[in-house]
Amino acid sequence: MEIRIGVGFDIHRLAEGRDLIIGGTKIDSDFGFIAHSDGDIFFHALTDALLGAVGFGDIGQLFPDTDKRWKNAPSNIFLEKARDIVYQRGYKISNIDAVIVLEKVKILPYREQIIDNTAKILNISKEKIFLKGKRFEGIDDIGKGEGGFCIVNTILMR
Ligand code: MG
């Protein structure tokens, strides 16, 4: 059996008056991510983790932010593309684990919804996906609530 590990990272600044979308879920917040697409840090990091695990480029190559097609695009488009690449190569997703760092927003109330959305898109059971929210404890700009980031690990098998 072949085992592949993928890692993904994404970070965006926050600005007032934008929707905050994480894992395809609208989070109750006065601030949302500034991005070319919807700025979904979890789906972006997960897309990169899946692509990286199979050695197939990265999200910036596949979906350049200079391309008008991805302006305000829902990020499930990126995740669906990564999913297809992974499955076409014969891999199965063993698990996904993520850390979402946001100072002023709690992830826990949305965790089930995010996991549910992700499981549906990837066509895997919810038990294979986990994520947790962390704070930056007031340190630096992230700690002042000016941005947020996400780290994702995934293991694939074939
Ligand atoms: Mg991004």
Side-chain angles (χ1 to χ4, degrees), residues 101 103 135-147 149:
V101 179
E103 199 69 7
R135 292 179 60 242
F136 222 51
E137 303 297 337
I139 300 164
D140 274 334
D141 292 350
I142 300 287
K144 293 187 187 85
E146 293 178 15
F149 66 87

Side-chain angles (χ1 to χ4, degrees), residues 8-15 20-22 32-48 59 65 75 99-103 136 139-152:
F9 173 85
D10 194 41
I11 183 167
H12 285 284
R13 281 194 179 276
L14 287 160
L20 181 60
I21 308 290
I22 298 178
F33 290 120
I34 303 167
H36 187 66
S37 66
D38 67 5
D40 190 326
I41 52 173
F42 175 55
F43 278 181
H44 293 182
L46 177 54
T47 297
D48 256 351
I59 191 170
D65 61 11
S75 295
V99 180
I100 295 168
V101 179
L102 272 172
E103 199 69 7
F136 222 51
I139 300 164
D140 274 334
D141 292 350
I142 300 287
K144 293 187 187 85
E146 293 178 15
F149 66 87
C150 179
I151 301 164
V152 175

Side-chain angles (χ1 to χ4, degrees), residues 36-138:
H36 187 66
S37 66
D38 67 5
D40 190 326
I41 52 173
F42 175 55
F43 278 181
H44 293 182
L46 177 54
T47 297
D48 256 351
L50 292 169
L51 293 172
V54 298
F56 193 97
D58 60 50
I59 191 170
Q61 283 177 300
L62 266 62
F63 307 101
D65 61 11
T66 50
D67 190 328
K68 288 191 177 68
R69 276 180 300 168
W70 318 126
K71 181 129 181 73
N72 299 318
S75 295
N76 57 303
I77 292 171
F78 312 144
L79 189 53
E80 285 161 7
K81 177 72 175 173
R83 170 201 67 197
D84 291 347
I85 289 165
V86 163
Y87 293 163
Q88 277 159 13
R89 282 162 176 70
Y91 291 98
K92 285 194 169 79
I93 297 167
S94 179
N95 84 306
I96 290 161
D97 191 23
V99 180
I100 295 168
V101 179
L102 272 172
E103 199 69 7
K104 293 173 180 169
V105 175
K106 290 220 173 354
I107 292 299
L108 187 58
Y110 302 97
R111 178 152 74 193
E112 281 304 312
Q113 184 63 54
I114 294 169
I115 289 174
D116 200 51
N117 291 345
T118 310
K120 281 188 179 129
I121 292 169
L122 297 177
N123 197 24
I124 58 176
S125 68
K126 291 192 270 189
E127 291 70 33
K128 291 175 185 274
I129 305 164
F130 201 72
L131 59 98
K132 52 261 167 189
K134 300 293 283 186
R135 292 179 60 242
F136 222 51
E137 303 297 337

Side-chain angles (χ1 to χ4, degrees), residues 1-6 53 91 94 154-158:
M1 187 195 296
E2 184 189 7
I3 296 172
R4 311 274 298 215
I5 296 177
Y91 291 98
S94 179
T154 187
I155 290 185
L156 310 183
M157 293 192 293
R158 89 173 161 184

